[in-house]
Amino acid sequence: MTQETTAGARRRLAERCRAVTEARGFAVAVFALILGNALLLGVETYSGAVERWHGGLKLVEHGFLAAFTAEILLRLGAHADRPKEFVRDPWNVFDVLVVLCAFVPVVRENATVLRLLRLARVLRAARFLPQLRVVMVAMARSLPGTVSFLLVGALLLYVYAMVGWVFFAPDDPEHYGSLGRAVLTLFLLMTLDGLGDAVRTGLEISRWSILYHASYVLLASFVLVNVLIGVVLNSLDEARDMERDADERTPPAPPATTPVPGDPHRLVRERIARARRALDELEESLGPLAPPRAAREDPSERRTPPCRGARPVPARHPFGPPGAGGAAGGGAPGAH
């Protein structure tokens, strides 16, 4: 009986919290709190405002923390009857960690870490902006491809920096006097910044320098950058597919009429529900009802059924009553 009471209490708690969290104004209110928290962080960067409204800003910060804590508790309560679904969502885990870390004594004493955690609350806005959430997931999934891009780009920079140091260091020490200067110059050329000046300076040294600069710009600014864009776009498509699959796999919230496990009347309720569905399907299959039998019959053709136990009535003779036929025809046969 204790398990049944606990399950019923969880179900009622989940229904009440779910009615609040699934309301349209709840998401808007939380999003407004996130924007207000971001605005508060911006105000705290001005030393004059902090000195003037130090107590008020601290009070507002505690208010935001209390509001975010209440939000997390409501979300936990909405999943009281299915806690595994809450943990499976990474955004829920992120929200809980961001809010709970503010209560850790070591974190609260470190102002820098606390500011970073408060800044992490701004990232929670991705929960209420699906497109932003997709972009963030795409960025996370593109990290392996980005690391490969960085390795290839570093190798390309190193090779061209060594070639530039070998050929241009004596005549252009400002840009190619060392390996570090050559790498910095080529990194700026990757963004096409100062490409005209570099080409003119190289042509003054040698006409073959145009091959050096043209090949580097072609590989670094066009090939590698397009590869990086392709990696990001591919990750973006995967993130959209993941978001769509997650929405399809999310089970609907159990209705309020869900029977409590261990309810003695559960089987009876299920049978009644199945019987109702069967009757509805049967009624739909019948289509329009047929007219009643009384409307199809002609009233003139109706016959009164004979009474039970009555004697049959003999047929009337055409020339008189039965037994009088001989008299009517000239008497008895023996009279002749």
Side-chain angles (χ1 to χ4, degrees):
M1 193 67 181
T2 305
Q3 295 181 355
E4 297 177 3
T5 306
T6 304
R10 288 182 179 179
R11 180 176 59 85
R12 290 190 295 269
L13 176 62
E15 290 174 359
R16 294 175 182 176
C17 294
R18 198 177 297 122
V20 177
T21 56
E22 293 180 356
R24 184 176 182 182
F26 180 79
V28 177
V30 176
F31 187 71
L33 287 174
I34 294 174
L35 294 182
N37 178 73
L39 182 62
L40 179 63
L41 291 175
V43 171
E44 290 180 353
T45 59
Y46 296 92
S47 57
V50 174
E51 294 176 359
R52 181 179 303 176
W53 302 309
H54 179 73
L57 293 177
K58 281 292 183 181
L59 183 61
V60 173
E61 163 59 20
H62 291 319
F64 280 126
L65 181 59
F68 288 131
T69 305
E71 179 220 350
I72 294 300
L73 292 178
L74 284 173
R75 291 190 183 278
L76 286 171
H79 291 79
D81 54 344
R82 42 183 182 138
K84 294 183 179 180
E85 296 296 332
F86 183 85
V87 181
R88 290 176 182 175
D89 190 354
W91 289 104
N92 291 332
V93 178
F94 175 76
D95 294 344
V96 172
L97 291 178
V98 169
V99 174
L100 289 183
C101 286
F103 295 96
V104 179
V106 179
V107 176
R108 295 183 62 181
E109 296 172 359
N110 194 330
T112 303
V113 178
L114 184 59
R115 286 194 181 97
L116 292 177
L117 286 175
R118 291 172 59 192
L119 183 61
R121 296 177 192 170
V122 181
L123 299 178
R124 298 186 58 220
R127 170 187 286 276
F128 307 98
L129 299 176
Q131 295 299 326
L132 180 59
R133 184 168 60 247
V134 169
V135 171
M136 293 182 65
V137 174
M139 291 175 59
R141 292 188 62 84
S142 64
L143 287 179
T146 305
V147 171
S148 302
F149 166 80
L150 292 177
L151 292 176
V152 176
L155 180 62
L156 183 68
L157 272 176
Y158 182 80
V159 171
Y160 271 84
M162 289 298 298
V163 173
W165 176 78
V166 170
F167 288 100
F168 305 122
D171 299 317
D172 191 6
E174 182 180 358
H175 296 95
Y176 298 95
S178 63
L179 181 62
R181 288 178 177 270
V183 169
L184 179 59
T185 300
L186 293 176
F187 182 78
L188 294 176
L189 288 179
M190 185 184 296
T191 62
L192 303 180
D193 184 18
L195 179 61
D197 296 338
V199 170
R200 282 192 294 269
T201 304
L203 288 176
E204 292 177 358
I205 299 173
S206 174
R207 293 182 178 179
W208 295 101
S209 64
I210 189 67
L211 296 178
Y212 172 82
H213 291 100
S215 60
Y216 174 76
V217 170
L218 180 63
L219 292 175
S221 298
F222 293 97
V223 177
L224 285 183
V225 172
N226 287 331
V227 169
L228 179 62
I229 293 174
V231 170
V232 174
L233 291 179
N234 187 28
S235 301
L236 187 61
D237 293 337
E238 293 179 358
R240 288 174 178 172
D241 295 338
M242 290 175 58
E243 187 77 13
R244 189 181 305 109
D245 295 340
D247 294 339
E248 293 176 355
R249 289 196 304 267
T250 301
T257 58
T258 302
V260 181
D263 187 1
H265 303 291
R266 179 172 60 87
L267 297 177
V268 178
R269 294 176 182 176
E270 292 179 356
R271 292 177 180 177
I272 293 175
R274 288 196 296 267
R276 288 176 178 174
R277 288 194 297 267
L279 288 175
D280 293 339
E281 294 176 358
L282 181 60
E283 184 178 359
E284 292 177 358
S285 63
L286 289 177
L289 296 176
R293 181 179 179 183
R296 296 196 306 265
E297 294 180 351
D298 189 0
S300 61
E301 297 179 358
R302 296 180 182 176
R303 296 181 179 178
T304 304
C307 296
R308 189 174 182 181
R311 298 177 60 184
V313 180
R316 185 179 295 275
H317 196 273
F319 300 103
H336 294 285

